[in-house]
Amino acid sequence: MKRPILRFPLLAALAFSIAPGLPAQNEGETTPKSVPAWQMTFENLSPEDRTRYNEALMRGTTLFNQKRIFEAINSVNDAMNIFDSDPAAMNLKGACYVEFRHFERARELFQEALALSPDSTSILFNLAEMDFVTGQWQECHDRMSALIPLLSPKEIAMRHLVEFKLMLSMIKLGKIDEATEFGNKYDFEHDTPYYYYANAALEYEQGN
């Protein structure tokens, strides 16, 4: 019988845009991408409501990072009572439900957020993480694989985390040779814990 895989800390909602902002531009672009409908709706709020919204969402993010999850979700709800169509708020609320281990509700919120911000690597990761924590290994494998080419060169920590979760899904799917090759992408000379975590997972799977 195979041993259960090592459990590493659940990491969700790696990045939040605290307040709605204009879509990001890629290098070389001279004009911004079109403004999404939810962004235009937000801009039509009164200045007072936009300020109250941003303050509530920022407070919720700070509380989440402090692991004060009940207070965080209350602050997110305060923000969403003002404006309920910001994918950043949905992503943060979903992350709170992850901490409560209410994975299905978290997944629903991440899917709603993705519909509004389909290029968000943070939201895409969170959906893949839902597959991971619920044991949907093929779905996790496919989502993590699709996410890697979408990451910018600056998202080094995110890339290593995605690659590690992808390697773990390979192990759970019985693709040990593929996982071993993937686990050797980096060595101890690289400035990343990937090498140590990957080797620990492979050794653990082999019963060592």
Side-chain angles (χ1 to χ4, degrees):
M1 178 182 297
K2 288 186 177 181
R3 301 173 67 186
I5 198 163
L6 278 170
R7 289 294 179 189
F8 293 86
L10 181 62
L11 180 56
L14 291 173
F16 301 119
S17 53
I18 302 304
L22 291 174
Q25 288 178 250
N26 294 323
E27 284 188 33
E29 287 186 350
T30 57
T31 57
K33 295 179 180 179
S34 60
V35 178
W38 64 265
Q39 174 77 47
M40 296 174 64
T41 303
F42 179 81
E43 296 297 337
N44 287 331
L45 296 177
S46 69
E48 295 77 14
D49 281 346
R50 292 200 301 269
T51 297
R52 289 194 302 117
Y53 176 86
N54 289 335
E55 288 175 349
L57 189 57
M58 184 177 295
R59 184 169 60 251
T61 302
T62 299
L63 290 166
F64 178 86
N65 290 334
Q66 294 172 348
K67 298 298 182 183
R68 296 161 63 182
I69 307 303
F70 287 101
E71 295 169 88
I73 201 168
N74 286 336
S75 291
V76 178
N77 285 335
D78 288 343
M80 295 184 75
N81 284 335
I82 301 168
F83 181 68
D84 63 0
S85 298
D86 179 9
M90 296 174 185
N91 197 34
L92 177 54
K93 189 171 182 177
C96 290
Y97 276 100
V98 170
E99 294 295 319
F100 297 145
R101 305 193 73 79
H102 292 175
F103 298 135
E104 288 310 309
R105 179 57 181 145
R107 188 191 295 274
E108 290 173 1
L109 285 160
F110 294 144
Q111 288 172 334
E112 291 173 15
L114 187 66
L116 295 172
S117 185
D119 297 326
S120 169
T121 54
S122 173
I123 299 169
L124 288 166
F125 172 82
N126 287 341
L127 280 168
E129 184 74 348
M130 292 303 91
D131 293 330
F132 183 89
V133 298
T134 56
Q136 300 179 58
W137 304 116
Q138 188 61 57
E139 291 83 353
C140 176
H141 177 282
D142 295 345
R143 285 187 194 270
M144 293 292 184
S145 297
L147 177 54
I148 290 174
L150 302 179
L151 298 171
S152 78
K154 296 180 180 179
E155 295 179 284
I156 298 173
M158 170 77 94
R159 178 178 297 276
H160 291 166
L161 179 61
V162 171
E163 290 173 339
F164 178 64
K165 291 299 180 81
L166 176 57
M167 191 207 75
L168 294 180
S169 69
M170 291 174 183
I171 291 175
K172 297 303 288 185
L173 289 168
K175 301 178 179 180
I176 305 303
D177 290 342
E178 187 176 346
T180 301
E181 181 178 353
F182 207 77
N184 291 327
K185 288 193 66 173
Y186 309 100
D187 59 30
F188 64 91
E189 294 182 344
H190 286 84
D191 185 21
T192 171
Y194 179 96
Y195 169 81
Y196 302 100
Y197 284 148
N199 279 277
L202 289 165
E203 289 292 320
Y204 191 82
E205 180 65 15
Q206 295 166 9
N208 298 330

